Amino acid sequence: MMEALAVLFISAGLFFFFTATVGLLRLPDFYSRMHAMGKADTMGLLLTLTGLALYQMGEGLSWSKAFVAFKILLIAVFWFLGGPTATHALLRSAFEGGKMPWTKDGQAVLDWPRQEER
Amino acid sequence: MRSIITFCVLLLFWVLLSGQLDLWHLSWGVICTATVTYLSRDLLFKGQLDLREKGREAWRFLKYLPWLLGQIFKANLHVARLALHPRMGELIDPHIIRFRTKLKKDLSLVTFANSITLTPGTITVLIDGDRLYVHAIDRPSAEALPGEMERRVAEVYGEQ
Amino acid sequence: MEGFLVGTGLVLGGFVVAGFYRIAFGPTIYDRILAVNLIGIMTVVFLVLMGLIYRRVEMFVDIALMYSLLAFIGTLIFAKYFSKRGVE
């Protein structure tokens, strides 16, 4: 039972890692690759590590096993906090370095609620 | 007062990571934790500390969390569809969008920026005062900004 | 079940090799950092997998935790460094 769940979670996680890799290779510029990376990898890590923690718990419940499983999940929680920060730092450094995104109509920066302001 | 709470939080973290409760490891833990507390005493909590207000914020944040998790799941499906779509070039229309936000506190700005990064099709590039630069990968996700998310974050941290 | 874990490791290895393409030919420095970041995350999963296969997971999980911290800090330092220098 536990193993079937673990296989399910790990496969789902691998699918998201696959998405991240394909996005990294196919999308046109740095900013859009960031979309594929910053989201899919966090999700992939969370699902894969959940699956591995379930597998680690195994059949017999014991205190030390649960502790190790908890630590495995702690990695995922940590990355949930750290991942967006790392993404943000990279994007900011690229934007301040003067790299503009690839666009279809050549306008890189739009002001959003267009009616107001001005 | 502030340092005592920081010390307790850090010591709890130490015990969780080491997992050993004998005297030797615990005394080293106390020494290391005290050093770190001294070095970073004003990082974890800033300014006046109001425990009841913090508790209320934490509770409202917990209520905000399920919605955020749902958004994260949707965001991943969105990106997966875009990355694997054979005619991806027609679907995407990336832009950087600049808008003003009403939020003032540091913590709520951080939560807002991270939530934008985690929801479908948008990532925060830069916060400059009250201006946010957001990269949106296609038109529909750009039009959803700032909208509902800003309202929810303002609610969590008690800003109107 | 052991075989499934080994297979997972092999698939992850394949993704890492695909990521090397961006490191080698990425047009800008930021693409390369991005690929390094992705490979770092996969390595964290790989470390836990190795621990489970060798049945020494209580040791490997600490290494994985440290490695994820290092990957995070490494990305931050790269971002900081290249934004100061403005290197293309």
Side-chain angles (χ1 to χ4, degrees):
Chain A
M1 178 58 203
M2 216 62 148
E3 293 205 338
L5 262 181
V7 169
L8 196 71
F9 271 104
I10 294 175
S11 313
L14 278 184
F15 169 72
F16 282 115
F17 274 131
F18 175 66
T19 317
T21 316
V22 171
L24 190 69
L25 294 181
R26 273 191 78 199
L27 288 170
D29 78 327
F30 166 72
Y31 290 92
S32 22
R33 280 175 206 141
M34 210 61 167
H35 279 273
M37 265 284 305
K39 284 160 191 164
D41 70 340
T42 314
M43 197 71 183
L45 190 75
L46 180 70
L47 288 174
T48 321
L49 288 184
T50 311
L52 289 177
L54 282 176
Y55 175 73
Q56 214 279 323
M57 294 279 280
E59 302 307 319
L61 272 178
S62 77
W63 187 241
S64 59
K65 272 186 177 177
F67 181 69
V68 173
F70 173 75
K71 261 191 189 173
I72 295 178
L73 285 183
L74 200 62
I75 301 176
V77 171
F78 171 74
W79 197 263
F80 245 80
L81 297 177
T85 315
T87 314
H88 182 73
L90 259 184
L91 278 170
R92 178 182 172 150
S93 105
F95 188 71
E96 283 179 347
K99 254 191 76 56
M100 283 295 140
W102 175 91
T103 51
K104 280 183 176 165
D105 53 5
Q107 286 179 293
V109 180
L110 296 179
D111 273 317
W112 200 239
R114 274 188 223 154
Q115 307 83 295
E116 25 182 287
E117 297 209 12
R118 241 179 319 149
Chain B
M1 180 63 200
R2 254 186 291 157
S3 352
I4 294 172
I5 295 177
T6 314
F7 181 80
C8 291
V9 170
L10 288 176
L11 190 64
L12 186 71
F13 200 60
W14 170 281
V15 171
L16 280 181
L17 282 183
S18 83
Q20 271 146 341
L21 288 173
D22 49 31
L23 193 62
W24 168 250
H25 287 96
L26 268 188
S27 48
W28 269 113
V30 170
I31 294 172
C32 295
T33 313
T35 317
V36 174
T37 310
Y38 177 70
L39 288 178
S40 59
R41 57 197 174 283
D42 49 357
L43 277 183
L44 194 53
F45 300 111
K46 249 188 184 173
Q48 280 301 315
L49 183 63
D50 182 359
L51 272 185
R52 198 168 300 159
E53 182 54 33
K54 278 278 177 243
R56 243 180 276 137
E57 268 179 18
W59 169 242
R60 280 189 305 233
F61 183 75
L62 281 182
K63 279 198 289 188
Y64 170 70
L65 216 51
W67 182 78
L68 190 63
L69 283 177
Q71 290 290 310
I72 292 171
F73 194 66
K74 264 198 256 168
N76 279 287
L77 291 183
H78 179 94
V79 163
R81 185 170 144 268
L82 278 183
L84 301 179
H85 201 281
R87 293 191 315 280
M88 170 204 61
E90 297 165 22
L91 282 181
I92 63 174
D93 185 14
H95 276 109
I96 286 185
I97 287 161
R98 176 165 55 182
F99 62 89
R100 287 179 189 281
T101 174
K102 303 186 301 248
L103 302 173
K104 294 277 183 322
K105 290 188 211 164
D106 282 355
L107 196 58
S108 47
L109 274 175
V110 169
T111 313
F112 187 43
N114 271 6
S115 308
I116 286 178
T117 301
L118 289 170
T119 47
T122 48
I123 40 181
T124 315
V125 176
L126 185 67
I127 301 180
D128 177 19
D130 63 343
R131 256 163 197 276
L132 264 83
Y133 289 74
V134 174
H135 185 264
I137 202 168
D138 58 6
R139 247 336 130 99
S141 50
E143 270 153 18
L145 280 171
E148 195 189 358
M149 172 112 56
E150 188 178 33
R151 198 176 52 71
R152 281 178 188 260
V153 173
E155 210 169 280
V156 168
Y157 292 100
E159 293 187 31
Q160 282 319 319
Chain C
M1 194 61 196
E2 204 94 306
F4 177 74
L5 290 185
V6 175
T8 310
L10 284 178
V11 173
L12 276 179
F15 293 163
V16 169
V17 171
F20 273 125
Y21 173 82
R22 268 284 160 243
I23 296 185
F25 300 107
T28 64
I29 195 82
Y30 302 108
D31 291 300
R32 292 170 214 251
I33 302 174
L34 199 56
V36 169
N37 195 10
L38 180 61
I39 290 177
I41 296 167
M42 289 183 193
T43 312
V44 172
V45 178
F46 206 78
L47 279 171
V48 181
L49 264 177
M50 258 164 75
L52 284 174
I53 291 170
Y54 291 141
R55 302 183 186 289
R56 293 289 305 278
V57 72
E58 62 281 1
M59 185 179 83
F60 275 88
V61 81
D62 285 341
I63 302 175
L65 196 59
M66 273 337 286
Y67 191 82
S68 70
L69 276 168
L70 279 180
F72 169 61
I73 293 172
T75 311
L76 280 190
I77 289 176
F78 270 130
K80 199 88 190 157
Y81 177 73
F82 287 112
S83 77
K84 283 265 170 61
R85 291 272 301 269
V87 176
E88 175 63 10

